[in-house]
Amino acid sequence: MDFNVQADTQEISVFRKEVREWLQENMRGAEGLRWSATWSTRENEEEYQFRRKLARKLGEKGWLFPMFPVEYGGAGLTIDHQLVLETELDHYGINLAAVFYTLARIVAPVILKWGAEEQKREFLPPMLRGEVSVWQVLTEPQGGSDIATCRTKAIRNGDHYVVNGQKIMVGYHHPPDFLWTLVCTDPSGPRHENLGWLYIPGNSAGITIQPMSLMMGIKNSVFFDNVRVPAFNLVGGENNGWRVANTHLELEHGGEGRVGADPLVERVVEYCQQMRVAGTPLMEDTSIRDIIADMLIELHVVHHFARRNFWHRYVREPHPYGGAQFRYYQRMVRLRNGERLQRIMGYDALVPDLTVNEVVDFEYVVRSGPGMLHGGGTLDTDRLVFARRVGLGRPTKEKAPTTI
């Protein structure tokens, strides 16, 4: 990746001006809103509806997925255009991949790679226009991170699959329009050769969603009771789900990367400059400055890992072990930062602050650290993938799948 800072070309400069002016207009009304995080305990309906509306507006211009083909709802633009959108949105504290809660950022690339042409034309445009919310539905009670143990069955019955089973630790507090669901299409088949992916309408008869109020945020259990799903909605082929899962998991496990940086340190510095103990700002304490320096250094490393993976993804040259490396390090840094915040401010770090965006709410950082060690696969999953990619204890190295 080229880390040199270069001036925009004339074309990109014009585009940046267009994006900046468009955001100035369309971000009006957000001044008093504070953004919730991905694993949120906040339920601000006004904020959610603003973000849904913003996503639809971006989608109308093809900017929600700017590099996707125009015929599917994208804008057919280049990585330079994507970087402009990412960086300009970041000024408002929003990530293009998570304008509102939906896993379309993972599901859409998988369908683009593995879906039949008819499926792409039906499933992708609503996602790319920001019209629908999609949950990924993988984890099961008995399997945890080992999704190949999938017991949610999808048995072919004429032109439909009949789905029965349970998923856990998924979703958000608003119901989904679609459930991107890993299922077992051949219960008697060998491991890794008996899976499939169904794109299931969220309002299908037989689906029950049960909220799970957890320390790390609002998640859900999903129950499937004789849910009939058109066979057309099977993406990637019957019993071919593990190959499709490799693309999905590479994105989920850090391979997608990102551009924006974690703004936590800036808020910690501001807090320590303003908070006084015995009349002296906390920032005057050399031990606290040492802690902040450690935070700053590690978050810079996380940022560079994320940008590197973003670049490798979009130039179609996947980094062999970058996803697992980034994800493992990022999660350990978050855990350490939660501990550091408690060392700096004690019990004050455990008090929610609704006046700031949730990602820089100290209580959220402390609370979400342990939970994020498990979400989307455990630390052991990261270690295993890393070991396979660099060839530890193996005669050959496992290749990283190319994503879109």
Side-chain angles (χ1 to χ4, degrees), residues 273-288:
Q273 289 172 336
Q274 295 176 354
M275 178 60 66
R276 292 174 175 268
V277 176
T280 303
L282 285 178
M283 190 58 81
E284 297 298 317
D285 187 327
T286 56
S287 64
I288 287 179

Side-chain angles (χ1 to χ4, degrees), residues 347-371:
Y347 290 114
D348 284 353
L350 304 180
V351 180
D353 184 354
L354 300 181
T355 68
V356 298
N357 292 337
E358 196 169 17
V359 292
V360 293
D361 184 351
F362 301 143
E363 184 272 342
Y364 173 78
V365 176
V366 173
R367 172 173 49 81
S368 64

